[in-house]
Amino acid sequence: MCKLRLKILASIAMITLLLQGCSMMPEEEELLPPPVKEPEAVEYTTQVIERGDIVNTAKGSGNIGSKKQYSLSFTYRSGYLKSMNVKLGDTVKKGQLIAELDTDSLEKDIQKKQLEIDKIKLELEQLQDQDPSNELERKKLKLEYLEDRKKQFPDEALELDYQIKDLKLEIKDMENQDGDNYSVKVKKKDLEIAQIDLEDLKLTRDKSQIVAPSSGKITYVEEIGIGDYVPALKTLVKVSDPSDLILEYTGGYALKMKVGMPVTATVSGKTVTGEVVTTPSDFPAEEQELRKETAFIKLNEVPEGVEIGDSASFEVVLEQKEDVLLVPKRAVIQYMGIYTARVLSEDNIRSEKDIEVGIETATQYEVISGLEEGDIVILE
């Protein structure tokens, strides 16, 4: 019984100690809600769509050249170069000898043909001395002589009458014959053929020379040596006429140029105006490949002292319009041919609009559709 009481007292003591321990723990604090952070307002750099003028220009550089340029070659024959009488930058006069092919064998052929002609002429003279036409004249003179003698010596009249009658018959027969005899006709044809051959040989010799078709400046000389073989039609020299100077440009912008486009050029430190006069499509068909990116610009004034080959810079107006809607390029996204403008509404809401553009410059687009005057676009 005593043991049971002790167990009960021990349990009561344990429970008391536990209750006292719980009373000593700190009270839990009430959790506070997280603070609410207001979003910061987004600030954009914007611009209002307005109307204005737009000009698309291209800048480039070229060289002073001549609109009249001659590409010279041996047109009708090939051969070995005998002489080249000019160098790059030379000034030549019309008709001046530029180059020639070796014609030693041709000169011998010309000499032989001339001797052949001389021989034919001698043979022809010999045949003509024997020609019936000359004999006819002699017989007529003899007839006159016999008739005069008959008058002077009547006692010889009977004998002279027989001679006169026979002579008149001979003269009549000869007069019925048609011009030269066969041998003379053949020899004349031989002479004609030989003279034609000689002219052909001389023409071939002349075609073995290149002469300047116009006074001008040598702007190109092929690198070729004396004795080298030269094919027919190979350009050896170019002559430019300085009386008709132009600014020649070669580059990608030439494909965008049109005849009549205004140009401002700087030549020898002086600014002059001009216009496009020739584009790649204006060149002859045989020059299309060579001139596929070439344009000629006619200057309204060529400063004094400017020569063929001098360099010049220029600016050409490719496109321009007045009073059109303009949008900065910074406000437009371009992807696969689609142009999209970033637009800001009055209540500061951002959106995107597809637009159609026209003229393009380094900083602006012409707006054809998709935006209106007064719209606000986002630059960044």
Side-chain angles (χ1 to χ4, degrees), residues 72-290:
L72 307 182
S73 64
F74 294 108
T75 307
Y76 299 99
R77 63 165 298 189
S78 56
Y80 296 93
L81 188 66
K82 180 180 180 180
S83 67
M84 175 64 74
N85 303 314
V86 296
K87 61 182 183 298
L88 190 65
D90 282 356
T91 299
V92 296
K93 295 182 179 180
K94 183 177 181 179
Q96 182 175 330
L97 181 63
I98 301 294
E100 60 182 333
L101 296 175
D102 186 357
T103 57
D104 287 348
S105 61
L106 192 58
E107 292 293 347
K108 291 178 181 178
D109 291 340
I110 291 173
Q111 291 177 3
K112 289 179 181 179
K113 187 59 65 175
Q114 185 62 61
L115 291 173
E116 180 183 338
I117 289 173
D118 293 341
K119 181 174 177 290
I120 293 174
K121 286 181 177 179
L122 290 174
E123 293 172 346
L124 183 59
E125 288 177 5
Q126 187 177 14
L127 288 172
Q128 286 175 333
D129 287 340
Q130 303 170 1
D131 188 62
S133 60
N134 295 329
E135 183 67 21
L136 177 61
E137 291 300 322
R138 287 195 293 269
K139 289 184 180 296
K140 286 181 178 180
L141 291 174
K142 185 177 180 180
L143 177 61
E144 292 178 4
Y145 168 75
L146 293 175
E147 287 176 340
D148 288 341
R149 185 174 181 81
K150 179 183 176 181
K151 293 176 183 179
Q152 295 177 10
F153 303 98
D155 56 334
E156 297 178 6
L158 183 59
E159 183 181 351
L160 291 171
D161 281 340
Y162 284 112
Q163 294 182 33
I164 290 172
K165 183 179 179 180
D166 291 340
L167 194 55
K168 285 183 176 180
L169 289 173
E170 291 177 13
I171 291 173
K172 185 177 181 180
D173 289 341
M174 294 181 71
E175 287 179 337
N176 289 332
Q177 293 181 6
D178 185 18
D180 296 331
N181 63 32
Y182 177 78
S183 297
V184 172
K185 288 180 179 179
V186 170
K187 194 58 65 176
K188 284 184 176 180
K189 290 296 181 183
D190 290 343
L191 178 61
E192 185 178 345
I193 292 171
Q195 288 173 332
I196 291 173
D197 289 343
L198 179 62
E199 289 302 316
D200 286 344
L201 288 170
K202 288 182 177 179
L203 183 60
T204 302
R205 180 187 61 188
D206 293 342
K207 290 175 180 177
S208 299
Q209 297 179 335
I210 297 176
V211 297
S214 169
S215 297
K217 187 174 183 179
I218 303 297
T219 53
Y220 171 82
V221 177
E222 175 71 12
E223 291 186 6
I224 190 168
I226 303 302
D228 288 351
Y229 180 76
V230 182
L233 299 176
K234 179 179 179 62
T235 298
L236 297 183
V237 176
K238 290 183 180 180
V239 178
S240 298
D241 184 351
S243 65
D244 192 10
L245 296 182
I246 49 91
L247 173 56
E248 182 174 344
Y249 164 72
T250 299
Y253 287 128
L255 300 172
K256 298 181 179 181
M257 294 183 184
K258 295 180 181 179
V259 173
M261 285 182 172
V263 176
T264 303
T266 302
V267 189
S268 295
K270 185 175 181 180
T271 300
V272 295
T273 59
E275 65 177 12
V276 177
V277 292
T278 306
T279 67
S281 61
D282 298 320
F283 289 100
E286 61 271 18
E287 297 184 32
Q288 288 285 322
E289 180 62 26
L290 180 65

